[in-house]
Amino acid sequence: MIPNINFTPGPSQLYFTIEDHARQAFKDGIPSLSHRSKAFEKISAEATEGLRELLNIPSGHQFYFTGSANEIWERIIQNLVENQSFHFVNGSFSKRFFEIAAQLNKHPKKIEVENGKGFDEHIQIPPDTELIAITHNETSTGVSMPLETIYGFGKKNPDALLVVDAVSSLPFPDFDYSKLDSVFFSVQKGFGLPAGLGVWIVNDKCITKAEKILTKGISIGSYHTIPVLQAHALKNQTPETPNVLGIYLLAKVVQDMIRRGIQTIRKETEYKAALLYQTLDQHPIISAAIKDKSYQSKTVIVADCGEHTDRITKFLIEKGMQPGDGYGPAKKTQLRFANFPTHSKEQYELLVDSLNAVRS
Amino acid sequence: MIPNINFTPGPSQLYFTIEDHARQAFKDGIPSLSHRSKAFEKISAEATEGLRELLNIPSGHQFYFTGSANEIWERIIQNLVENQSFHFVNGSFSKRFFEIAAQLNKHPKKIEVENGKGFDEHIQIPPDTELIAITHNETSTGVSMPLETIYGFGKKNPDALLVVDAVSSLPFPDFDYSKLDSVFFSVQKGFGLPAGLGVWIVNDKCITKAEKILTKGISIGSYHTIPVLQAHALKNQTPETPNVLGIYLLAKVVQDMIRRGIQTIRKETEYKAALLYQTLDQHPIISAAIKDKSYQSKTVIVADCGEHTDRITKFLIEKGMQPGDGYGPAKKTQLRFANFPTHSKEQYELLVDSLNAVRS
């Protein structure tokens, strides 16, 4: 039996309207809609213009659809880095981004700190850095980088592109997109959609950089280069046959979120995060894995449960809640709790009540 | 209003069981299932082992999931070609495969014939060819390459990998996979699934070739290289969070097709194709676009409708049938009709009756 409430950080619980939207999609023939039709272009525009409105993204930024955020890591390195990117590494996903740059035969550099730690805002970035890769929210450990720290690295390195992996944080963070050159996410986390779609946001500087690398005769890929994606995005199309149903569901969920109000979503996220962190602070046998409050993620909250991990997991499942396992080496000692827009205040209240009922 | 019967060659009409399977998927929590769970591994194995049984694929061939067949074009060139591939080009899609090799800075060669034509079986392939790229069924024009011709090119060039694009033909062709090194398709055509998933089949020679190129220090990609895909496939997993719902629906449709019987599906495809080609042969104002019967596709049947194209389209839509537009330059003079397993004999009988009712 599958617990009713799913706190794993991704694929996470579906946004509560998804099943209805999927039913309507089948009724309207969306799953077999041609991606070269006017109807598809309208859906695609609804998704991207909806995201622009919801997240307050400037009109100059473009949206591209990919198969996954993994793909976007690769496309960013291919399209935006000739030689050298610089990566902030403090967990499995930020490390993977760095490794991908090396696999593509670039020469990435990094500052690496222990899992669970944040970064000093005074870190010096090497002068030849073409692109700064920051993972806003390290899904593996629950560490978030404060927005002002991100903007600071951009300000001090104006010649580098500033790229933010917001896979497990959007739509929560209120980014100032005018200070970011590229941001990306996948839909199966904060947006609560079935997996199989990544969204890549880029500004003009990214388009120019990709064209510049291509002019030098360096391959930047084939069907998913920025110039090809851009040519299709201008028509609200994609180069390949995309996940049409996924784009439709994204459009619908974004409209639902606009109606609910992004401020409401953000306030509720803050409230639920405060509730859980407070519970962890006061708990006799479990505690927040991230001690420094300035780095605590609001959207992926990680609890140190030590030897009690297995028992707490079973207890929560009995109560109808599925916690996320700790990631990698922390699988047996930590639990992760997604705090996404689909997780209601009532679900979080049930979660903290249940955690409070766990005693040694 | 959307016509009930969709003959566009892709995304095409959904397989008739898809909507029920999708409903069950939501009931069972599939769209938010973790891709690292045992439940996912089971679904993934059901899809790949089902395909192996349905298509009679040898145990040594492996299955990898990608975002699209477009992606597979790129991955094939990255992973299997160090310098030179050879492409049979006779339409938009075979041409695109060739172009992708050039975009990835390889040195592809080609034999190109007019759209709508087939290839002489005596064509000489250059001696340094590492990979022969054949489009079994050119979706843009309705030309198919006979299987014996494909095998012949493999036999005469044993040092080259023989790769077949079967995007719009499978599951119909009864390939002898022991004679093919790699075959691929996307799910929104013959399998009748929502778009957003490609399936890539490779043998040991492909794995060895990718490893050999990598050993030379040439980049073969990052998260979707053959070695990385293979390591995950052995666990029935994928490197990235994949289109889990798509893989589930593929597993279910493949099981449905196994129950129906691949021989039945193939015989019905032959019957429907014969019915439509016969109608076109005898029709006063429309005719088969491909005159040479040995090259006529059984799964994408193209009709020359000339000046009557628009009128016939409207007439068919009125009768509840959506024909596929001609591709590219043939948009105003041809119609394409998908003949996939989901298209019933009754639907084809209705189609030919309606075409017979069209007079000048």
Side-chain angles (χ1 to χ4, degrees), chain A residues 2 6 11-12 14 22 26 28 31-33 70-71 74-75 103-105 188 194-195 217 219 222-223 240-243, chain B residues 2 11-12 14 22 26 28 31-33 70-71 74-75 100 103-105 188 194-195 217 219 222-223 240-243:
Chain A
I2 296 163
N6 183 1
S12 190
L14 293 183
F26 276 95
D28 292 346
S32 56
L33 188 67
N70 255 272
E71 186 189 343
E74 183 175 282
R75 301 305 175 195
Q103 284 183 295
L104 295 174
N105 282 356
Q188 75 275 11
S219 176
S222 61
Y223 72 111
E240 84 292 9
T241 311
N243 182 344
Chain B
I2 297 163
S12 190
L14 293 183
F26 275 95
D28 293 346
S32 55
L33 188 67
N70 255 271
E71 186 188 344
E74 183 174 282
R75 300 307 175 195
I100 280 179
Q103 284 183 294
L104 295 173
N105 283 356
Q188 74 275 12
S219 177
S222 62
Y223 72 110
E240 84 293 8
T241 312
N243 182 344

Side-chain angles (χ1 to χ4, degrees), chain B residues 105-230:
Chain B
N105 283 356
K106 309 294 179 183
H107 303 94
K109 300 200 181 311
K110 63 178 170 174
I111 167 83
E112 186 163 6
V113 299
E114 214 179 309
N115 278 12
K117 300 291 179 198
F119 297 96
D120 187 287
E121 63 186 33
H122 300 295
I123 286 167
Q124 292 293 318
I125 290 173
D128 290 338
T129 297
E130 300 166 65
L131 181 145
I132 302 168
I134 292 177
T135 303
H136 172 240
N137 199 67
E138 188 32 92
T139 319
S140 65
T141 60
V143 175
S144 232
M145 190 182 286
L147 302 195
E148 291 305 326
T149 307
I150 297 176
Y151 304 149
F153 289 126
K155 203 171 172 190
K156 279 182 277 181
N157 301 276
D159 295 337
L161 295 170
L162 186 59
V163 171
V164 174
D165 174 339
V167 161
S168 59
S169 57
L170 278 175
F172 169 70
D174 188 9
F175 290 130
D176 179 348
Y177 289 85
S178 73
K179 295 176 177 161
L180 307 176
D181 298 304
S182 182
V183 178
F184 61 97
F185 63 93
S186 49
V187 299
Q188 74 275 12
K189 298 189 191 278
F191 287 88
L193 266 74
L197 188 67
V199 179
W200 185 16
I201 304 164
V202 303
N203 71 1
D204 281 358
K205 280 171 74 181
C206 294
I207 298 174
T208 304
K209 178 70 190 264
E211 287 167 347
K212 192 181 148 197
I213 296 177
L214 187 58
T215 307
K216 292 186 178 185
I218 299 165
S219 177
I220 56 172
S222 62
Y223 72 110
H224 270 183
T225 65
I226 285 185
V228 172
L229 285 163
Q230 174 64 11

Side-chain angles (χ1 to χ4, degrees), chain A residues 257-273:
Chain A
M257 289 183 174
I258 289 171
R259 273 190 292 275
R260 191 168 152 198
I262 190 68
Q263 293 315 326
T264 304
I265 289 172
R266 286 178 178 146
K267 272 186 202 157
E268 287 185 6
T269 304
E270 297 270 11
Y271 167 81
K272 292 178 289 168

Side-chain angles (χ1 to χ4, degrees), chain B residues 6-306:
Chain B
N6 182 1
F7 290 115
T8 57
S12 190
Q13 185 166 309
L14 293 183
Y15 198 71
F16 57 94
T17 58
I18 287 284
E19 195 169 344
D20 283 346
H21 290 312
R23 199 176 296 119
Q24 190 63 42
F26 275 95
K27 251 186 218 166
D28 293 346
I30 304 300
S32 55
L33 188 67
S34 165
H35 59 297
R36 299 288 174 240
S37 65
K38 290 284 165 213
F40 172 76
E41 290 172 9
K42 206 173 148 226
I43 290 165
S44 175
E46 189 184 347
T48 56
E49 292 315 307
L51 281 168
R52 199 183 295 286
E53 180 182 347
L54 181 74
L55 302 175
N56 193 25
I57 295 176
S59 61
H61 284 57
Q62 307 292 329
F63 296 83
Y64 306 142
F65 295 115
T66 69
S68 62
N70 255 271
E71 186 188 344
I72 300 173
W73 281 335
E74 183 174 282
R75 300 307 175 195
I76 283 172
I77 300 299
Q78 277 181 321
N79 281 269
L80 302 178
V81 179
E82 190 182 333
N83 291 304
Q84 186 179 315
S85 49
F86 183 83
H87 300 254
F88 286 84
V89 176
N90 62 342
S92 301
F93 294 98
S94 46
K95 191 173 188 178
R96 194 75 199 94
F97 198 173
F98 169 79
E99 289 168 347
I100 280 179
Q103 284 183 294
L104 295 173
N105 283 356
K106 309 294 179 183
H107 303 94
K109 300 200 181 311
K110 63 178 170 174
I111 167 83
E112 186 163 6
V113 299
E114 214 179 309
N115 278 12
K117 300 291 179 198
F119 297 96
D120 187 287
E121 63 186 33
H122 300 295
I123 286 167
Q124 292 293 318
I125 290 173
D128 290 338
T129 297
E130 300 166 65
L131 181 145
I132 302 168
I134 292 177
T135 303
H136 172 240
N137 199 67
E138 188 32 92
T139 319
S140 65
T141 60
V143 175
S144 232
M145 190 182 286
L147 302 195
E148 291 305 326
T149 307
I150 297 176
Y151 304 149
F153 289 126
K155 203 171 172 190
K156 279 182 277 181
N157 301 276
D159 295 337
L161 295 170
L162 186 59
V163 171
V164 174
D165 174 339
V167 161
S168 59
S169 57
L170 278 175
F172 169 70
D174 188 9
F175 290 130
D176 179 348
Y177 289 85
S178 73
K179 295 176 177 161
L180 307 176
D181 298 304
S182 182
V183 178
F184 61 97
F185 63 93
S186 49
V187 299
Q188 74 275 12
K189 298 189 191 278
F191 287 88
L193 266 74
L197 188 67
V199 179
W200 185 16
I201 304 164
V202 303
N203 71 1
D204 281 358
K205 280 171 74 181
C206 294
I207 298 174
T208 304
K209 178 70 190 264
E211 287 167 347
K212 192 181 148 197
I213 296 177
L214 187 58
T215 307
K216 292 186 178 185
I218 299 165
S219 177
I220 56 172
S222 62
Y223 72 110
H224 270 183
T225 65
I226 285 185
V228 172
L229 285 163
Q230 174 64 11
H232 284 83
L234 289 175
K235 298 181 285 182
N236 292 302
Q237 289 193 7
T238 56
E240 84 293 8
T241 312
N243 182 344
V244 175
L245 179 59
I247 294 170
Y248 170 91
L249 293 175
L250 176 63
K252 296 304 166 194
V253 162
V254 165
Q255 296 306 323
D256 292 337
M257 288 183 175
I258 289 171
R259 272 189 293 273
R260 192 167 151 198
I262 189 69
Q263 292 316 325
T264 304
I265 290 172
R266 286 177 179 147
K267 271 185 204 157
E268 287 185 4
T269 304
E270 298 270 10
Y271 167 80
K272 291 179 289 169
L275 199 63
L276 181 50
Y277 278 119
Q278 192 181 38
T279 302
L280 295 177
D281 284 348
Q282 297 169 354
H283 204 279
I285 58 167
I286 57 182
S287 62
I290 310 304
K291 309 299 175 197
D292 187 331
K293 288 193 185 300
S294 58
Y295 298 137
Q296 282 180 342
S297 168
K298 298 284 197 291
T299 55
V300 177
I301 299 165
V302 182
D304 271 331
C305 304

Side-chain angles (χ1 to χ4, degrees), chain A residues 84 121 236 238 295:
Chain A
Q84 185 179 314
E121 64 186 29
N236 292 303
T238 56
Y295 298 136

